[in-house]
Each structure stands twice: as structure tokens, then as C-alpha cells.
């Protein structure tokens, strides 16, 4: 086990820089998720930690050692790939024991460690099968087994669940989290699915276009997104956002571009007339109040009801625990929870209140 | 159409085609046992049209009455046969080693030589097949003379390896392209070097393709006549050259030519029957995912 420190890491292909100076500190035993839309550089960053991509600038440290020029085999890391990358000509046991065999570990020791890992992952009945004879979820477990028999300093996961169906994904999500709690190995987990990141990680790094947008615990990111990108990316369904101006005064409010008035608890200092973005999460709207939504679609799921509608010209989305009796075309009165309203600067996108 | 009729039509067509395909082989084998008169009169069916004789096998010292005696023709035949085996297996082995490495490089690493990139280099290799071998006759004659490789087995192996290399590279590159790169990356994370990943993980997976490439190049080298006739004489001469030389001043000795041809065909038939599925498997890997 070890900490991982990424200091101002850069990566370019020719003249094209794809990672623009990323710094992340990962402490020993932490589960960190790198999350972002496709093409944000999260996989590239992971592969830089693994040593599968060269580092153009900056430093990556695993434990006390700078690993910039070290080949993957000398970094003492284990990686789980999106397509599992199991060796098709080796059995499950051979797949899991391959790394130990390369390290000249004795046969009895390999058998013991493979057996132990297989027990943890429920793979005992499959040890003599070949990868092609296994289902997707079983292959996924073998890939994890291959990582854990090594007892490496760091686990790296590259979108390991994206090839599984929805139900299995939820199940494996819990298994990976449980595995981490049990082994307490430092883990870096890449995903484009913010729900995965939120549910599994101790700390989330939101990447966008090769820069870090925000680093924080899942709830920090949810409660206080640092900018518009994080606000829109974290949370499902995503946050409602309105462009307009802040109106300060005795009773401050926010005026949207189409003239609708949204309530504010208080305006940030000297912000009267400032161009801004007003954000409120769908689940932070409650029924009853003086904000009228013109309903367009109602989506009941049983546990909750999602209402899509319009405020002025802007779309709005509300999620309510109560049963909502309304129909498209009606006006629905709602009120935002004033303590959970987010304000962002329109130009920079940064949080102002 | 009733099922039975459909089946019998299909089987009928297949039987006709089998006869067409096997006839030349039958003709070659049966001619081994004919005398001059039978060949000229076009006698086909043994014991009906003609009475089998040991003439052909006697010519290469393999008939019952000569097989246990000293026989110069047999020594000559065995030497040529052994030369053919050395040349085709040696060259195929060499081409497979060099070609696999070249193909792996082209499949996995990005090269750049002036304006040429990987695809251009691949095409350059393959384009060597367009060139008729005759163009190379003079240069190779001069080159081999200077290098003292004329009439040597090494020289023959080298030029055969060179001539099958494009095909080997082509087949093997197709093989490697179908193997996901993550496998090597997983192997490297597991503790392999680049070479280790290639030898321990990639080569075993690419084995069907290697077998196909090897068999194909053995067949091509085994059948090769032009360079063997050009670059070899007494020492390194191969079986095809010996077959062709049966047209002497007293006319063509059909029986001995047929006996030699049969001996030359036999290894290919064995390869075809027993290893055909590897060839198909190896050559079609890229097509279905």
C-alpha cells in the first residue's frame, strides 16, 4: 500500500497537449474516482500512473518513489481493464497466478494465494476454466482476482463495469467497494458514470478537457460544486440552471432572461445587476409556493414523480417524493429550498454563492 | 424440391467435382506404373487398359527389385528430396521468425521513415509480390556469385525466405491486429517486459496464424522452380528441378517424371489433409469478430 502523488502532470501527443498540468494527492488506502465526460483525459491519466503512457511533464510519485521513467512492471501496481484483458490461452487460475509466476514465487505459494483470492471472489468452481467459458460478470471477477493476488501498492481500474448490464453493474459496484474496505489498498478508479463515482469513492476528481475542475468528497461536490461544469455533471437528474441577473435589495431575487423571478435567500455582496447563473437541483424543489411551472411531461416512477416543465422560456425539472396530481398544460406551484440555491458567475462559470 | 432429390443433386455435383479435382493426381500416380506405349495411347485404368509395371519406381530406385540394392538414382532422388525439405522448411522457419517480428512491430508501434508511415511500409512489403521473379534473376545471379552463395543451401534458404516474407508479414499482421492491445498492457503491468509480453502472451494466441503462415510458405517454397534452377546446380538442386530435368535427349521419360512428381506431391497432400483446418482458421481470424 502506498500514497500516490501527481504533481503538475502533463501529457502531449506531438503539439497537442491533452493533460494540462494536473495535480492530485491520493493518500494511502484512499479510493479515488477520476470522473469526467469521454475525452477528458481520465483514462490517459490512469495509464500515466500505470506507466503505459509516457509523462511529458511533471511528476508522479507512488509511495516515496518518483516513477516517471519506470516501466509498468517495476511500479508494483495492478490494473483492471475495461475489456478485462484476460489471457485467452490461460485458465482462470493461470491468469490469476501469472504475475506471481513472473516474480518467481514458489508454486505452492502461488496456489495458496490464487485459492485465497478465488475464495474472496467466489471463483473456486471456475479455476480450471478458460475465460471464454465464463460470463461477463465472472470475467470481471477474474480480472479483479488477477489484481488482488499480487497484493500491489495501488489498484487501477479503467471503467471496469461499462461492459456489464445495468443490474450486474450495481452488484459489482458493491463488490468492488466491499473488496476495498476489506483490503484497504489505494485505489484509482476511472469512470464516466458519476453515479458510480459518487457511490464508491472516498474522493472524486472531476476532469474536463485535461484539467481538474474540482476535487472533493462525493457530498462536497454535490453540495458545493465549484463551477458550472461540476454542477451540471454531478447529480442525476442534473441541476436546473437559469441565465439572468441578480437583483439585490431588501427582498433579493433572480431575474431570468425571459423575465421570470426566482427567489434568493440573500444576494452576494455588491452583486446587484450582475450576470449570473442560478442553479437548483430538481430534488430541492418542493410542492406549494409562488413559483409556477407550466407542466409539459409527468414521469411517475412510484417512489418519486419527476415533472418536466417551463418557467418563462427556461426548462425546469422537479423531483417530488409526493404523488403529484397534475396534467400537462397545468400550472404547478413549487418553491426552491433557498438554502440549497447555487449562484455562478456567467462569464467564468465559478461559484459566487 | 423434395429433400432427398436436393441431397442427391448436391452429392452428385460434389462427386463430379471430386473426380475432376483428383484426376490429375490419379493420372500422375498411375503414370508411374506405365510403359511408353501406355502413356502414348492414353491408357488410363490400371489392369483394364494397361498392365502396371515397375518402370517409374525403378528409375528412382524404389521398385521392389531395386529397393534393397545400391542405387545411384535413389541416392540422387533422396538427396534432392532432402534438399527440398531443407530449403522449404528452413526458409519458412526463418521467414516466420523475421516476419512475425516485423508484423508485430507494424501492428503495435508507429513508425515513420521520411513520408512513410506504417501503412506505406506494409504496402511496400506486400508490393514485392507484384514484381515478377525474372526481374531479380540477373541481380541475384551477380550477388550470389560475389557472395559465393551459388549452389549453396544457405543461399537458397535466404532467397526463399525473402520471397515468402511478404505473405508471412501480411498474415501475421492480420493476426496481431485482432489481438487487443490491452493484453500486452496487462502483461506488462503483471511484470513482463515488451519482449516478455510478445513471447509469453501474444505469440501463443497468434499460434493458429503462425501455423497457417508456415504451411503456406512451405508449400510455396516446395513448389518453387525458377530460383532453384537459376541459382543451384549439382549440390543444392531441389526436387522440382530434378523433375524438369527428366526431359532428356531420348525424349521424355514419363514414368520417372511421374514417379518424381508423385514423391513431390505426397508431402503436400499430407499437409493438406491433416493441417487444412489450421490454414482456414489462421487465414480467417480477421474476418469474423
Amino acid at each position: 500500500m502506498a500514497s500516490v502523488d501527481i504533481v503538475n502532470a502533463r501529457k502531449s501527443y506531438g503539439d497537442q497537449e491533452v493533460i494540462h498540468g494536473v495535480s492530485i494527492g491520493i493518500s494511502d488506502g484512499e479510493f479515488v474516482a477520476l470522473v469526467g465526460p469521454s475525452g477528458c483525459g481520465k483514462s490517459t491519466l490512469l495509464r500515466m500512473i500505470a506507466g503505459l503512457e509516457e509523462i511529458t511533464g511533471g511528476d508522479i510519485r507512488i509511495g516515496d518513489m518518483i516513477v516517471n521513467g519506470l516501466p509498468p512492471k517495476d511500479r508494483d501496481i495492478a490494473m483492471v481493464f475495461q475489456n478485462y484483458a484476460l489471457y485467452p490461452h490461460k485458465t482462470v487460475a493461470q491468469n490469476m497466478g501469472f504475475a506471481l509466476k513472473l516474480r518467481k514465487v514458489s508454486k505452492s505459494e502461488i496456489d495458496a494465494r490464487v485459492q485465497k483470492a478465488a475464495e474472496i471472489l467466489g471463483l473456486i468452481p471456475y479455476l480450471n476454466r478458460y475465460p471464454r467459458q465464463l460470463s461477463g460478470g465472472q470475467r470481471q471477477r477474474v480480472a479483479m482476482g488477477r489484481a488482488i493476488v499480487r497484493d500491489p501498492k495501488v489498484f487501477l481500474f479503467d471503467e471496469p463495469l461499462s461492459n456489464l448490464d445495468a443490474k450486474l453493474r450495481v452488484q459489482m459496484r458493491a463488490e468492488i467497494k466491499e473488496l476495498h474496505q476489506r483490503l484497504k489498498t489505494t485505489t484509482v478508479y476511472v469512470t464516466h458514470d458519476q453515479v458510480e463515482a459518487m457511490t464508491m469513492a472516498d474522493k472524486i476528481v472531476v476532469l474536463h478537457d485535461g484539467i481538474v475542475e474540482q476535487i472533493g468528497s462525493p457530498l462536497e461536490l454535490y453540495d458545493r460544486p465549484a463551477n458550472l461544469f461540476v454542477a451540471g455533471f454531478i447529480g442525476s437528474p442534473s441541476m436546473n440552471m437559469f441565465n439572468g441577473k441578480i437583483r439585490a435589495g431588501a427582498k433579493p431575487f433572480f431575474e431570468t432572461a425571459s423575465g421570470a423571478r426566482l427567489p434568493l435567500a440573500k444576494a452576494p455582496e455588491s452583486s446587484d445587476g450582475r450576470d449570473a447563473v442560478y442553479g437548483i437541483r430538481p430534488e430541492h424543489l418542493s410542492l406549494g409556493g409562488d413559483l409556477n411551472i407550466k407542466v409539459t411531461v409527468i414521469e411517475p416512477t412510484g417512489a418519486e414523480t419527476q415533472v418536466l416543465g417551463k418557467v418563462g422560456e427556461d426548462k425546469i425539472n422537479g423531483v417530488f417524493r409526493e404523488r403529484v396530481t397534475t396534467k400537462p398544460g397545468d400550472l404547478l406551484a413549487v418553491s426552491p429550498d433557498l438554502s440549497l440555491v447555487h449562484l455562478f458567475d456567467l462569464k467564468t462559470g465559478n461559484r459566487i454563492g | 424440391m423434395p429433400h432427398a432429390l436436393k441431397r442427391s443433386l448436391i452429392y452428385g455435383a460434389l462427386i463430379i467435382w471430386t473426380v475432376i479435382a483428383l484426376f490429375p493426381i490419379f493420372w500422375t500416380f498411375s503414370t508411374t506404373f506405365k510403359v511408353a506405349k501406355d502413356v502414348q495411347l492414353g491408357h488410363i485404368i490400371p489392369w483394364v487398359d494397361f498392365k502396371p509395371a515397375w518402370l517409374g519406381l525403378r528409375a528412382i530406385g524404389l521398385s521392389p527389385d531395386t529397393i534393397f540394392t545400391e542405387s545411384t538414382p535413389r541416392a540422387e532422388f533422396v538427396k534432392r528430396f532432402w534438399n527440398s525439405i531443407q530449403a522449404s522448411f528452413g526458409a519458412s522457419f526463418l521467414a516466420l521468425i523475421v516476419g512475425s517480428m516485423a508484423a508485430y512491430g507494424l501492428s503495435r508501434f508507429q513508425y515513420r521513415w521520411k513520408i512513410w508511415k506504417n501503412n506505406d511500409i506494409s504496402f511496400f512489403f506486400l508490393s514485392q509480390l507484384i514484381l515478377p521473379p525474372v526481374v531479380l534473376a540477373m541481380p541475384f545471379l551477380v550477388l550470389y556469385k560475389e557472395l559465393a552463395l551459388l549452389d549453396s543451401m544457405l543461399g537458397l534458404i535466404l532467397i526463399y525466405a525473402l520471397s515468402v516474407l511478404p505473405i508471412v508479414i501480411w498474415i501475421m499482421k492480420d493476426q496481431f491486429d485482432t489481438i487487443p492491445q490491452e493484453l500486452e498492457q496487462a502483461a506488462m503491468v503483471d511484470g513482463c517486459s515488451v519482449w516478455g509480453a510478445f513471447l509469453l502472451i501474444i505469440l501463443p494466441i497468434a499460434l493458429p496464424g503462425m501455423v497457417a503462415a508456415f504451411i503456406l510458405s512451405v508449400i510455396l517454397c516446395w513448389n518453387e522452380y525458377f530460383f532453384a534452377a537459376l541459382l543451384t546446380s549439382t549440390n543444392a538442386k531441389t526436387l522440382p528441378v530434378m523433375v524438369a530435368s527428366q526431359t532428356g535427349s531420348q525424349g521424355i521419360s514419363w514414368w520417372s517424371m511421374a514417379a518424381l512428381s508423385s514423391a513431390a506431391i505426397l508431402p503436400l497432400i499430407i499437409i493438406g489433409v491433416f493441417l487444412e483446418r489450421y490454414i482456414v482458421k489462421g487465414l480467417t481470424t480477421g474476418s469474423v469478430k
Side-chain angles (χ1 to χ4, degrees), chain B residues 4-25:
Chain B
L5 182 63
K6 204 167 151 187
R7 272 183 90 82
S8 42
L9 277 179
I10 290 173
Y11 276 96
L14 286 176
I15 287 166
I16 292 170
W17 180 248
T18 308
V19 170
I20 293 173
L22 289 182
F23 181 76
I25 296 172

Side-chain angles (χ1 to χ4, degrees), chain A residues 47 83 86-87 103 150, chain B residues 182-183 185 187-190:
Chain A
R47 295 163 57 82
N83 61 5
L86 302 179
Y87 311 128
R103 278 172 181 70
R150 293 256 314 275
Chain B
E182 280 85 357
L183 282 180
Q185 293 170 351
M188 287 200 272
V189 169
D190 269 349

Side-chain angles (χ1 to χ4, degrees), chain B residues 3-289:
Chain B
H3 187 66
L5 182 63
K6 204 167 151 187
R7 272 183 90 82
S8 42
L9 277 179
I10 290 173
Y11 276 96
L14 286 176
I15 287 166
I16 292 170
W17 180 248
T18 308
V19 170
I20 293 173
L22 289 182
F23 181 76
I25 296 172
F26 165 75
W27 188 82
T28 309
F29 278 115
S30 63
T31 302
T32 308
F33 302 97
K34 291 175 193 170
V35 296
K37 178 171 64 92
D38 297 322
V39 178
Q40 265 133 34
L41 292 174
H43 290 158
I44 298 289
I45 309 161
W47 293 289
V48 179
D49 280 351
F50 69 94
K51 189 170 167 294
W54 289 115
L55 219 53
L57 287 181
R58 192 174 298 138
I60 56 171
L62 289 175
S63 64
D65 54 323
T66 54
I67 195 155
F68 296 112
T69 61
E70 278 291 295
S71 161
T72 324
R74 187 175 66 228
E76 173 77 3
F77 162 72
V78 169
K79 188 177 174 193
R80 300 310 164 210
F81 193 85
W82 177 235
N83 276 352
S84 270
I85 286 178
Q86 277 179 292
S88 50
F89 280 78
S92 302
F93 196 67
L94 185 63
L96 196 65
I97 293 173
V98 177
S100 293
M101 292 196 288
Y104 185 69
L106 285 170
S107 168
R108 289 301 197 259
F109 303 99
Q110 292 303 312
Y111 294 102
R112 206 185 176 132
W113 186 71
K114 291 176 182 168
I115 57 161
W116 283 22
K117 292 184 182 163
N118 282 28
N119 280 341
D120 307 294
I121 299 170
S122 301
F123 179 73
F124 171 76
F125 287 151
L126 204 56
S127 70
Q128 303 308 303
L129 292 175
I130 301 167
L131 206 68
V134 185
V135 178
L136 297 171
M138 289 285 282
F140 265 104
L141 208 52
V142 175
L143 180 73
Y144 269 44
K145 198 166 157 21
E146 289 297 314
L147 294 174
L149 285 173
L150 278 179
D151 199 21
S152 74
M153 187 42 68
L154 178 67
L156 205 56
I157 287 176
L158 286 178
I159 195 164
Y160 281 3
L162 190 69
S163 62
V164 293
L165 209 46
I167 295 175
V168 172
I169 292 176
W170 185 43
I171 295 174
M172 290 313 295
K173 182 173 181 295
D174 214 43
Q175 281 283 311
F176 292 136
D177 283 346
T178 60
I179 300 173
Q181 294 217 8
E182 280 85 357
L183 282 180
E184 287 113 299
Q185 293 170 351
M188 287 200 272
V189 169
D190 269 349
C192 287
S193 61
V194 174
W195 277 96
F198 175 64
L199 294 172
L200 292 175
I201 300 298
I202 301 305
L203 275 194
I205 299 171
L207 203 62
M210 293 184 81
V211 174
F214 185 76
I215 294 168
L216 205 62
S217 55
V218 164
I219 293 172
L220 287 171
C221 295
W222 186 269
N223 290 333
E224 208 283 335
Y225 171 76
F226 180 74
F227 283 115
L230 184 76
L231 300 174
T232 66
S233 49
T234 51
N235 187 31
K237 197 161 80 177
T238 57
L239 207 50
V241 184
M242 192 185 175
V243 173
S245 67
Q246 298 307 307
T247 56
S249 51
Q250 296 104 34
I252 303 167
S253 51
W254 293 103
W255 42 92
S256 63
M257 207 173 188
L260 286 171
S261 301
S262 305
I265 293 170
L266 215 54
L268 298 190
I269 293 179
I270 293 169
I271 289 175
V273 170
F274 289 102
L275 300 178
E276 180 253 16
R277 62 201 175 95
Y278 284 102
I279 303 181
V280 175
K281 201 171 154 194
L283 293 180
T284 52
T285 0
S287 54
V288 189
K289 289 214 175 172

